[in-house]
Amino acid sequence: MKSIIEVRNYTKKYGDFTAVDDVSFSVKEGSIFAFLGPNGAGKSTTINTLVTMMEKTSGTLIIDGKDVSTEKDEVRKAIGVVFQTQTLDEKMTVTENLNMHCVFYGVPKNEVKDRIHFVLDLVDLLDWKDKSVSNLSGGMKRRVEIARALLHYPKVLFLDEPTSGLDPQTRNKMWEYITRLQKEKNITIFLTTHYMDEAEICDHVAIMDNGKIMVDDTPANLKRRYTKDKATVQVKNPALFEETLIKENFSFKKEKNIFHVVVDIDDIQQFLDLIQLFKNEVKDLEIKKGTLNDVFLEITGKEIREEASE
Amino acid sequence: MRTISALWLRNIRGFVRDRVKLVTSLVIPFFFLYVFSSIFKTDQVEDPTAFLLAGIIVATVFQTSLNIATSTIDDTVSGFMKEILVSPTSRFKVALGQILSAATIATAQGILILIIGFFTGLRFNNWETIIYVLFALMLVGLVFSGLGLFLASMVKSASTFQVVQQAVVLPFTFLSGAYIPIDFLPKVLKFVSYFNPMTYTTAFFRTIMLEKGGLPQGDLLKLGLAFDLNGFIITPWMSGGIIAIFGALFLYLATNSFVRADFNKISRNPLVRR
């Protein structure tokens, strides 16, 4: 698959402060690419430069073969953007908002009606098309914004924290729309998020910290590289269990009280054999797979948190 | 063209939907008419109400035109401007759409006051006057919408703009002869008023609306419709030319600075974002 976004040696400085430092990455056409990082890592700066709202200091940024700095209008036609903050026209109705977008993007007049119907249907908002935007809930507004960003049939959809501030149910819905879009329309989706479980769904994840990209890989590869599965075990005879663990070369931590043992698992078979020996001793057993959150912690040393903005 | 007309329609819609704005902007002129009418009760003017009404129409059109700035800043703060700017539409067209809609709203306001003026006894001797008046209103609206958009693209935050607007509106209207004749002003302020584009706007519009174009220079000077600058007489028609020049300047500055403005810097919350 060919790359639709190509970033090479991109640097952005604010005076003396380097927000993004010599970053390179690429995004494959038709994939979902998640951009993670603690607040202030340079994510928003990167996304703002990619969507032509901010000038780079140096480097090359290409979207769909067009240069972000010199072919702005071409790039703008090729992308749809949903910003972190809301950008709807509150005083107008949903349809009026969508109509306006078609005007700005030069959508042929005779297609406007059909396209509006199509995108509203996609986000299940057809019943709301004549309502004023100010009457919509936060989740609905976000859906209108996604629908709007699709009106001009972009090749790449940028979503800056599309689900922040939404309740879990709406979040799930939103993800349904996003993945459906990617599958049905083969749109490339570039998003930032604070939720690690959301990043797990993506094809590719890049983690940014202090203006640099620390890792850039598939979620599965990242977990393989940076995390271990962990087992939390409580046994009746912890002393014996510990002795066995040492003998069998398991690395482990004792937590809280002696009954609570966290075991790093390299080989699940070996661990099952061990548990087999203690099958009458085990009071409680929980096995946790490594998560992207562990990867994130490992790489940035920071817990990811949801905050207003960076 | 599509961008310009769509933005125009949107802004007009927005204005019409905002009932409070619509009503207050119609009520306030009559409040002024009531308050200032006593000042104009001098013997030089035969119809003080019409004389003042003309000034009030100009002042209202001026202030309404400046509201373009408020609505542009509102659009920036609400985020809608971002949606416009990330699209491939040209900023120049966006600026034109904003200016034209503001000029239209301002002209409509002027007309509304004019209509109410007819009910309070305003009469034209020549029917053509109404056409001249309409053109003059449009000109005034266009000129000051340009100024408004220029101010909007210079300002960094909504609260700063409040201050700027006050600082512009007060001297522009009160040092123009619209409410208070310039001859009543202290010498220094009278001098300042000659640098005020609104002074010429008021004189120009009043001359047209009161059908005084044919009067001899002496009478025009007496009525404050022409100005004597050290022996050089500025006739109402020259005033019209001065406004046109100011207008061209404002429109140039406005479109120019709007195209270059960095709207990223205006944020909804000054504590968030750098």
Side-chain angles (χ1 to χ4, degrees):
Chain A
M1 261 192 292
K2 74 172 182 92
S3 307
I4 194 148
I5 302 178
E6 202 51 78
V7 175
R8 286 190 296 269
N9 310 103
Y10 159 56
T11 299
K12 172 73 190 179
K13 289 182 180 163
Y14 297 97
D16 288 339
F17 174 70
T18 307
V20 181
D21 187 9
D22 195 28
V23 156
S24 300
F25 64 91
S26 64
V27 178
K28 291 211 170 63
E29 186 163 16
S31 66
I32 303 186
F33 186 92
F35 212 44
L36 312 177
N39 291 323
K43 283 176 303 177
S44 282
T45 304
T46 307
I47 221 170
N48 275 327
T49 310
L50 276 172
V51 303
T52 73
M53 294 298 279
M54 203 179 255
E55 295 297 332
K56 68 187 180 193
T57 306
S58 65
T60 317
L61 299 92
I62 309 280
I63 294 179
D64 193 29
K66 284 126 197 162
D67 192 297
V68 164
S69 316
T70 55
E71 297 167 275
K72 281 204 169 88
D73 281 350
E74 292 305 308
V75 169
R76 285 170 181 166
K77 275 178 207 157
I79 62 173
V81 187
V82 176
F83 289 102
Q84 199 172 342
T85 48
Q86 206 225 110
T87 61
L88 291 171
D89 192 354
E90 291 261 350
K91 278 176 275 184
M92 301 291 144
T93 67
V94 172
T95 307
E96 281 167 349
N97 264 281
L98 300 180
N99 234 324
M100 209 63 187
H101 185 93
C102 290
V103 171
F104 292 145
Y105 283 79
V107 172
K109 270 182 191 158
N110 53 348
E111 286 181 34
V112 169
K113 236 182 138 182
D114 289 343
R115 289 207 196 184
I116 289 177
H117 186 91
F118 166 72
V119 295
L120 281 181
D121 188 36
L122 196 73
V123 297
D124 295 332
L125 281 176
L126 272 177
D127 294 343
W128 294 80
K129 66 180 196 304
D130 294 321
K131 292 273 187 316
S132 171
V133 168
S134 51
N135 295 334
L136 269 54
S137 72
M140 284 175 174
K141 285 181 188 168
R142 199 60 63 87
R143 272 147 67 192
V144 174
E145 288 195 284
I146 291 183
R148 186 180 63 178
L150 295 170
L151 276 170
H152 57 287
Y153 296 161
K155 292 191 170 164
V156 186
L157 183 61
F158 286 89
L159 305 166
D160 200 355
E161 294 186 19
T163 56
S164 75
L166 303 181
D167 61 80
Q169 205 188 345
T170 320
R171 259 176 62 186
N172 281 340
K173 266 270 181 221
M174 202 66 80
W175 271 99
E176 241 181 80
Y177 303 134
I178 294 174
T179 44
R180 200 204 302 179
L181 262 176
Q182 182 228 4
K183 283 198 194 95
E184 287 177 13
K185 299 277 148 204
N186 197 35
I187 292 181
T188 311
I189 293 165
F190 185 108
L191 61 93
T192 66
T193 180
H194 273 303
Y195 299 107
M196 286 299 141
D197 51 331
E198 295 184 349
E200 305 256 3
I201 311 169
C202 301
D203 300 312
H204 218 88
V205 171
I207 297 180
M208 199 170 188
D209 197 18
N210 297 321
K212 285 189 190 295
I213 290 196
M214 313 301 285
V215 292
D216 173 10
D217 213 334
T218 63
N221 282 345
L222 286 176
K223 281 186 280 188
R224 209 168 299 137
R225 216 157 85 204
Y226 292 96
T227 66
K228 283 196 169 112
D229 296 345
K230 285 188 169 62
T232 309
V233 192
Q234 279 188 50
V235 286
K236 283 181 196 151
N237 190 343
L240 181 66
F241 190 66
E242 194 177 337
E243 207 176 289
T244 321
L245 281 174
I246 294 168
K247 209 168 68 194
E248 296 279 331
N249 264 332
F250 279 100
S251 70
F252 64 96
K253 268 198 310 254
K254 277 191 283 181
E255 263 175 18
K256 283 178 195 160
N257 52 55
I258 48 165
F259 297 106
H260 207 73
V261 187
V262 181
V263 189
D264 287 338
I265 308 172
D266 290 320
D267 181 358
I268 191 84
Q269 199 56 52
Q270 194 193 1
F271 180 73
L272 285 176
D273 292 344
L274 175 91
I275 289 295
Q276 200 63 33
L277 294 174
F278 286 83
K279 69 177 178 203
N280 297 322
E281 296 265 320
V282 174
K283 281 167 35 185
D284 190 24
L285 169 65
E286 190 191 359
I287 297 181
K288 265 194 204 140
K289 304 288 287 175
T291 63
L292 267 185
N293 204 37
D294 300 331
V295 177
F296 192 86
L297 268 170
E298 181 72 27
I299 290 165
T300 65
K302 287 168 208 155
E303 189 91 42
I304 199 151
R305 269 191 317 259
E306 198 191 348
E307 274 169 37
S309 175
E310 39 184 276
Chain B
M1 263 326 277
R2 219 171 136 202
T3 300
I4 300 174
S5 56
L7 263 178
W8 181 85
L9 193 65
R10 172 217 173 228
N11 289 342
I12 306 280
R13 262 197 202 131
F15 183 78
V16 175
R17 279 178 199 173
D18 195 342
R19 299 278 149 74
V20 181
K21 229 188 217 167
L22 197 69
V23 170
T24 44
S25 56
L26 279 180
V27 168
I28 288 176
F30 289 94
F31 171 73
F32 278 122
L33 185 66
Y34 177 70
V35 169
F36 289 104
S37 55
S38 57
I39 299 180
F40 275 89
K41 283 204 177 97
T42 52
D43 14 322
Q44 322 161 336
V45 186
E46 76 257 42
D47 185 358
T49 313
F51 203 82
L52 182 60
L53 199 63
I56 285 173
I57 290 174
V58 168
T60 308
V61 171
F62 165 69
Q63 286 180 26
T64 316
S65 305
L66 280 192
N67 280 341
I68 186 194
T70 320
S71 63
T72 305
I73 289 173
D74 279 351
D75 288 343
T76 313
V77 173
S78 79
F80 182 61
M81 195 53 81
K82 244 182 167 172
E83 147 80 0
I84 299 179
L85 297 179
V86 80
S87 78
T89 198
S90 95
R91 279 199 186 194
F92 179 73
K93 287 182 188 160
V94 174
L96 273 189
Q98 297 284 84
I99 288 175
L100 288 178
S101 59
T104 308
I105 293 169
T107 308
Q109 290 255 316
I111 293 171
L112 281 175
I113 299 174
L114 201 63
I115 291 171
I116 302 175
F118 284 129
F119 288 107
T120 61
L122 181 74
R123 287 288 174 272
F124 293 141
N125 294 323
N126 304 312
W127 67 269
E128 301 100 77
T129 305
I130 189 85
I131 296 166
Y132 297 142
V133 166
L134 289 185
F135 274 111
L137 281 177
M138 280 185 239
L139 176 69
V140 177
L142 213 53
V143 170
F144 293 105
S145 300
L147 175 66
L149 191 66
F150 173 60
L151 292 176
S153 46
M154 299 296 284
V155 166
K156 296 275 180 285
S157 83
S159 47
T160 315
F161 184 72
Q162 296 279 320
V163 182
V164 173
Q165 196 180 21
Q166 287 300 318
V168 170
V169 166
L170 281 178
F172 267 58
T173 46
F174 280 91
L175 302 182
S176 71
Y179 296 142
I180 309 161
I182 301 181
D183 285 334
F184 284 26
L185 295 173
K187 219 172 170 189
V188 182
L189 291 182
K190 194 175 168 183
F191 177 73
V192 173
S193 74
Y194 289 137
F195 293 96
N196 180 359
M198 271 296 282
T199 307
Y200 305 104
T201 312
T202 309
F204 175 68
F205 184 74
R206 222 171 234 159
T207 309
I208 290 178
M209 193 176 129
L210 303 180
E211 301 169 307
K212 301 284 186 205
L215 288 188
Q217 244 171 39
D219 289 352
L220 286 174
L221 279 171
K222 226 189 270 168
L223 288 171
L225 300 177
F227 309 102
D228 183 354
L229 296 186
N230 277 333
F232 182 74
I233 310 290
I234 298 181
T235 66
W237 311 120
M238 283 161 90
S239 289
I242 293 173
I243 309 163
I245 293 168
F246 268 113
L249 178 73
F250 290 155
L251 289 180
Y252 170 75
L253 287 175
T255 47
N256 209 35
S257 66
F258 185 83
V259 168
R260 289 170 189 203
D262 182 1
F263 291 94
N264 285 322
K265 283 188 183 140
I266 308 178
S267 69
R268 57 178 65 198
N269 179 354
L271 297 173
V272 180
R273 279 174 202 272
R274 43 191 148 250

